[in-house]
Amino acid sequence: MGNSGCDLEKHADVFEHSHRWCGGFVWDYKDKALAHPILGYGYGGDFGPGDQPGTMCCNGIANPDGVPHEQMSALKAAFQPLKAEHLGSGRLRLQNRNSFLDLNAYIFSWKVTRDGETLASGEETLSCPPRETVEWSAPLPAGCEEKKPGKLCLSIAFSLRFATNWASAGHKVAVAQWTLADHPAQEPVSTGALWRKEANSWTVHAVGCRYTVSCETGDLTGFSAPDGTPLLDSPLRPNFWRVPTDADLGFLGIVMGKDQDLDEWGRISFGLDPLPALVTVEGDILTVENNLLGGATLIRRYRPTVAGLALEFCFTGGVQMPRRVGLQAEFPATFDKMEWLGLGPQDTYAGRTFGSIFGQYEKTVASQDEHMRPQEHGLKLGTRKLKLTGTDGHSLVVTGLNDFATAAWPYTLEQLHKARHVAELPHTAAHTTLLLDAAQNGLGDAFVKLTDTYKLKPGTPYCMHLVLTAR
């Protein structure tokens, strides 16, 4: 229900290896909501008393009009007719999971990339009878596995050689990817510039950009491009709130209409409760310390470097854990193009990355997988670089020295939280909201408890090391 689809590939593995299971069906293909003259689609009492409670019948993998939700990509990957295993050094073992088709019915393509840039690629025809295996070795380019900055990946795909009655020629039926080597970029050196106190803020310059941090909150309140254009509509501030998915609410939460409830983490994230901060400056490093609920701590460190403003963010949880740990900020709505180097092209969450490929992608901020009841969506895991570009040519660039997660929405976190129908979200964006996550819970289902594997854990540090700059 809603944003879900965790560990679907594990179900497929059970079907493959257990003699007691022969397969499974998607219970509902489309969300069962009806066209509504005001709300777009209506559900759960929108047509009068006696309807089903909440979103209980909005449990498809597509909208009522057939537009797929992102979990359909996860389902496709789980049921793809190929199982692939990397044996090392680019050698693969491929299992044909078809019952009747040989693998030569498909076009087999491969490529080797470093940070999404293609180093080598090709197409071949592989023959393998149904339910059998074959081994294949990728012709890796010479020297590609040397210790160069970036993530070196081998990707494969199988596409239909001929059109069928259900898809056109070239349709991809299976994909897989492996990391051959990974050498993240080194932390950029300091410029030596010192923070300058101005009224209630600290200011510093790096690579032509001006950065301002509040003395009271430790939030990044000002960020100007080299030509002096301010980029932020709101501070870049801590965020611990995930707009509840149907799985977060659970069956009783849906029935009782708990989607509008806010816990302490939500109140902090919406600015309803204060977040006391200790802000100190030593040399070129500005440090912000926050003591949070249940013994949790957050430390942020800012430092000007030759690549931009370095931001170290590290949260360590206490007794009471949030579902999300990260940062949020609003930018002008003109920032409507998102490019990222990371997992894609579909949305990815802990437990729902199977079938995603590390590479370079782009999308408009307006293109969102919105569910019948608006909720958390749009996350991109494994991000190494993000670029948010405005129609005036200005852009924000966030580079990760480790993996981070990101999302961009054409509405604020608070607007998403308050909406119970997509039609209640702003029709014209006033802001673009950017979210940068160090960690977030995985996805469950309203009837299946989320496994502890994909929950944030007390005492575990969740950190991201970012460099912010503008062009």
Side-chain angles (χ1 to χ4, degrees):
M1 297 179 62
N3 192 5
S4 56
C6 186
D7 279 346
L8 290 176
E9 70 278 6
K10 293 184 179 179
H11 291 76
D13 285 342
V14 171
F15 303 152
E16 284 289 317
H17 299 106
S18 174
H19 296 296
R20 295 171 179 255
W21 296 76
C22 62
F25 296 94
V26 174
W27 186 256
D28 289 329
Y29 177 66
K30 294 181 181 180
D31 291 330
K32 291 187 290 297
L34 301 176
H36 191 284
I38 299 174
L39 301 174
Y41 286 107
Y43 66 84
D46 292 333
F47 296 96
D51 288 354
Q52 87 281 355
T55 54
M56 290 308 300
C57 289
C58 299
N59 55 350
I61 58 173
N63 277 325
D65 57 5
V67 175
H69 289 307
E70 292 290 317
Q71 55 261 44
M72 189 181 289
S73 297
L75 183 71
K76 175 186 174 182
F79 288 161
Q80 66 186 17
L82 174 81
K83 184 172 183 179
E85 178 185 2
H86 184 224
L87 304 178
S89 301
R91 186 163 184 80
L92 307 180
R93 178 182 292 126
L94 308 174
Q95 179 188 6
N96 183 356
R97 295 166 75 172
N98 285 310
S99 296
F100 304 103
L101 282 180
D102 191 291
L103 285 185
N104 60 21
Y106 308 115
I107 298 171
F108 170 59
S109 58
W110 61 272
K111 63 179 178 180
V112 178
T113 59
R114 178 176 281 111
D115 279 354
E117 298 288 343
T118 300
L119 304 179
S121 62
E123 289 186 356
E124 299 184 23
T125 297
L126 287 183
S127 182
C128 180
R131 315 304 298 179
E132 298 294 333
T133 62
V134 64
E135 292 190 7
W136 174 84
S137 293
L140 302 179
C144 73
E145 295 185 276
E146 295 177 358
K147 288 188 176 181
K148 297 180 180 179
K151 181 178 283 191
L152 182 72
C153 296
L154 169 63
S155 308
I156 64 170
F158 284 82
S159 307
L160 290 178
R161 187 175 298 278
F162 304 106
T164 69
N165 58 2
W166 55 272
S168 58
H171 175 76
K172 287 185 180 179
V173 298
V175 297
Q177 186 184 65
W178 301 268
T179 299
L180 303 180
D182 188 6
H183 304 290
Q186 297 296 311
E187 184 172 354
V189 298
S190 171
T191 62
L194 299 179
W195 293 88
R196 186 176 61 180
K197 184 77 175 295
E198 296 180 354
N200 293 321
S201 62
W202 290 94
T203 300
V204 76
H205 289 78
V207 293
C209 300
R210 186 175 186 268
Y211 306 89
T212 303
V213 174
S214 166
C215 292
E216 296 180 358
T217 65
D219 300 339
L220 184 68
T221 55
F223 183 6
S224 299
D227 64 0
T229 301
L231 303 184
L232 290 172
D233 277 354
S234 74
L236 180 66
R237 58 204 186 276
N239 178 38
F240 307 104
W241 185 245
R242 171 163 104 170
V243 176
T245 65
D246 290 346
D248 292 337
L249 294 173
F251 175 79
L252 290 179
I254 292 172
V255 171
M256 298 173 67
K258 296 290 188 179
D259 55 294
Q260 297 295 298
D261 292 357
L262 274 181
D263 65 11
E264 293 92 335
W265 294 110
R267 293 184 61 82
I268 290 173
S269 301
F270 287 164
L272 300 176
D273 288 346
L275 180 58
L278 174 63
V279 180
T280 58
V281 174
E282 185 174 349
D284 62 349
I285 298 177
L286 188 153
T287 301
V288 184
E289 299 177 62
N290 303 105
N291 292 318
L292 298 157
L293 306 173
T297 60
L298 172 63
I299 296 177
R300 287 169 284 167
R301 290 189 177 92
Y302 302 90
R303 184 169 63 95
T305 75
V306 295
L309 183 68
L311 170 55
E312 179 184 338
F313 174 104
C314 196
F315 171 91
T316 303
V319 177
Q320 183 181 353
M321 293 296 291
R323 296 191 183 104
R324 160 183 250 146
V325 173
L327 297 163
Q328 63 168 319
E330 284 79 57
F331 290 79
T334 53
F335 281 75
D336 61 354
K337 181 182 179 182
M338 176 185 180
E339 302 170 75
W340 75 98
L341 172 66
L343 294 179
Q346 65 267 34
D347 297 351
T348 47
Y349 288 83
R352 203 181 78 187
T353 60
F354 191 74
S356 61
I357 299 294
F358 182 85
Q360 296 184 7
Y361 302 97
E362 66 177 64
K363 62 177 288 188
T364 62
V365 172
S367 59
Q368 301 287 331
D369 177 25
E370 290 159 339
H371 297 267
M372 292 298 96
R373 181 187 66 79
Q375 56 195 268
E376 163 61 31
H377 66 279
L379 195 68
K380 314 296 182 186
L381 289 182
T383 302
R384 293 286 174 88
K385 191 171 186 178
L386 164 73
K387 185 178 180 183
L388 197 62
T389 304
T391 55
D392 63 356
H394 288 103
S395 60
L396 162 76
V397 180
V398 182
T399 303
L401 303 182
N402 64 334
D403 289 352
F404 64 98
T406 187
W409 301 330
Y411 28 73
T412 66
L413 184 71
E414 188 171 6
Q415 288 170 335
L416 183 67
H417 174 75
K418 289 182 176 180
R420 281 182 161 161
H421 301 82
V422 174
E424 294 170 346
L425 293 169
H427 296 291
T428 302
H431 306 280
T432 290
T433 296
L434 176 66
L435 300 114
L436 304 170
D437 283 1
Q440 186 180 146
N441 275 5
L443 302 173
D445 187 86
F447 297 100
V448 181
K449 184 179 178 181
L450 177 65
T451 173
D452 289 343
T453 303
Y454 302 125
K455 287 184 178 180
L456 304 190
K457 297 173 177 58
T460 300
Y462 295 100
C463 306
M464 52 184 174
H465 300 265
L466 310 175
V467 178
L468 313 177
T469 189
R471 297 171 185 169

